[in-house]
Amino acid sequence: MGRASPLQPVQHGADIWRGDLYGCGVHCTARRKGMIHMRCAAVMIATALATGLAGCGHTDRLASVPVAQLERATVLGIPKARFYVDQPRQILAEARQAFDREVAYNRSIERSMPSAKYLALSGGGDDGAFGAGLLVGWTERGDRPSFKLVTGISTGALIAPFAFLGPEYDGALTAVYTGIDQKDILEKRPLLAALTDDAMSDTTPLYRLISRYLDDKMIAQIAREYDRGRLLLIATTNLDAGRPVIWNIGAIARSGHPKSQELIRILLASASIPGAFPPVMFDVEVNGSPHQELHVDGDLQKPCCEQRAGGLGVLGRRVRRRGRGLGSGREWLRAGVRLTPPRLEPSTRPAASC
């Protein structure tokens, strides 16, 4: 199959946007076996390194959550703030409630239910700039949709809030990816930090950068869209438990909790490459007892990506049945987006990439 035209929907059991816009090669998985094996080896090494470094760099931390109580741990006391990817009942319950909120909102403004489109923004390091360019170019072309669900992982987590809130934030998104350099992301540490610290760099500059944009206004807008039935989900990896976590950003924003800017730390954690960037510590409680968790790059574990893509399909099928009952006439787009340099041809395989 030749190169797809810009933003051309390609049918393979689910609608997947694929194409090349402004030099952005957008494809859904397709890796050579050698590359996959190299990635697996790299993940294993990074995990071992990060675990050792985390132990050295956080000796004064509270106890981690016991394995048997992982699913009882809460953050800021906010219900539905996060899920583990292997908790389909909780995820589907949130999807049903989101659908009900969407129905109520559209009835309140006397509007029929719009078609639903999903956008999944995956990792890729510096290639995140291609994702930013894709979204801004899509706006300029004039047919960028509003997404019912946006998910972000790794560098995709940094793009996701801007993508979720739409073209109003294109200027900020452009500035984040074109108006910065390395000093705005990290401060290098001495080489000895590989043995004595939790990472080879300090990401305080990245924290400040995220804080500059993810302000009270942006959090309020995310909360507003959550009330209208839209979802923004960010993935991290719980380093203590070795389990991928899905953070329900809209629910946290909607809570009105005075520490809701904890969202900044979630984005930072999702983009924290083990060994290179420090893990991010979160205070949690289990039955009133305080604990702490270390979280890192949401793209650390390949199964997280696979389960996330599968979860979109399950969520879509379940809520779609409800939509049919209401005569909503929905279209379903599952966008598993991978952003890579333009020299790579788009894949013809339908899965989401990692």
Side-chain angles (χ1 to χ4, degrees):
M1 179 178 177
R3 178 178 291 275
S5 59
L7 299 180
Q8 182 69 32
V10 180
Q11 299 287 341
H12 282 289
D15 293 332
I16 300 174
W17 286 98
R18 188 182 296 144
D20 189 358
L21 182 64
Y22 292 170
C24 309
V26 181
H27 65 92
C28 299
T29 184
R31 294 282 182 86
R32 293 180 181 145
K33 287 184 178 181
M35 294 180 68
I36 295 175
H37 292 162
M38 288 174 63
R39 176 185 175 84
C40 292
V43 166
M44 292 174 64
I45 294 170
T47 303
L49 178 63
T51 302
L53 292 177
C56 295
H58 295 274
T59 55
D60 57 346
R61 58 170 290 188
L62 297 178
S64 59
V65 179
V67 174
Q69 297 181 315
L70 282 172
E71 295 175 8
R72 299 179 184 176
T74 61
V75 179
L76 302 178
I78 301 173
K80 302 180 294 184
R82 64 181 190 173
F83 316 97
Y84 284 102
V85 297
D86 54 359
Q87 292 182 301
R89 291 185 180 180
Q90 291 87 333
I91 296 172
L92 287 173
E94 175 65 1
R96 288 192 294 268
Q97 292 170 15
F99 182 82
D100 291 340
R101 293 194 300 272
E102 185 183 18
V103 170
Y105 169 69
N106 283 285
R107 284 177 176 169
S108 72
I109 61 174
E110 298 181 347
R111 184 178 72 181
S112 59
M113 291 287 285
S115 61
K117 296 177 175 65
Y118 296 158
L119 175 66
L121 293 162
S122 55
D126 293 344
D127 288 349
F130 288 98
L134 170 68
L135 289 167
V136 173
W138 203 342
T139 297
E140 292 179 0
R141 210 181 75 159
D143 59 353
R144 174 177 162 185
S146 173
F147 297 102
K148 156 80 175 177
L149 168 66
V150 175
T151 70
I153 193 167
S154 196
T155 192
L158 303 180
I159 302 174
F162 300 101
F164 183 72
L165 293 178
E168 175 186 349
Y169 279 89
D170 280 0
L173 180 59
T174 300
V176 167
Y177 278 93
T178 63
I180 63 172
D181 56 29
Q182 182 175 288
K183 73 177 189 304
D184 298 303
I185 302 298
L186 57 88
E187 294 176 357
K188 289 185 177 180
R189 290 172 173 168
L191 188 61
L192 192 61
L195 300 176
T196 62
D197 219 324
D198 55 2
M200 292 296 296
S201 62
D202 180 350
T203 51
T204 299
L206 179 58
Y207 178 86
R208 289 196 295 261
L209 179 66
I210 299 171
S211 302
R212 188 187 313 164
Y213 294 98
L214 192 60
D215 54 13
D216 290 342
K217 177 185 175 183
M218 194 176 198
I219 291 173
Q221 288 178 312
I222 293 172
R224 178 195 66 198
E225 295 305 314
Y226 179 78
D227 282 340
R228 295 176 179 178
R230 299 177 63 215
L231 295 174
L232 173 60
L233 307 178
I234 300 295
T236 66
T237 299
N238 182 334
L239 188 59
D240 297 314
R243 292 177 68 182
V245 179
I246 298 173
W247 296 82
N248 191 356
I249 303 301
I252 298 172
R254 180 65 181 82
S255 70
H257 195 284
K259 293 184 178 180
S260 59
Q261 280 206 320
E262 190 86 353
L263 295 175
I264 297 169
R265 291 164 52 75
I266 296 170
L267 301 187
L268 182 65
S270 186
S272 293
I273 305 166
F277 293 171
V280 177
M281 188 85 75
F282 289 92
D283 294 324
V284 302
E285 287 190 358
V286 178
N287 299 325
S289 176
H291 294 267
Q292 288 182 317
E293 296 176 349
L294 288 172
H295 285 250
V296 294
D297 191 341
D299 210 13
L300 178 61
Q301 295 189 1
K302 190 173 188 293
C304 175
C305 300
E306 295 170 345
Q307 293 182 52
R308 179 189 61 192
L312 286 174
V314 172
L315 183 152
R317 288 194 298 273
R318 178 66 183 91
V319 183
R320 176 168 49 189
R321 289 197 291 269
R322 293 168 59 87
R324 284 176 179 168
L326 294 171
S328 64
R330 288 180 165 229
E331 298 176 4
W332 290 90
L333 167 67
R334 191 168 72 197
V337 179
R338 175 71 184 188
L339 302 157
T340 60
R343 67 179 180 275
L344 298 180
E345 291 293 328
S347 164
T348 58
R349 296 181 60 185
S353 70
C354 299

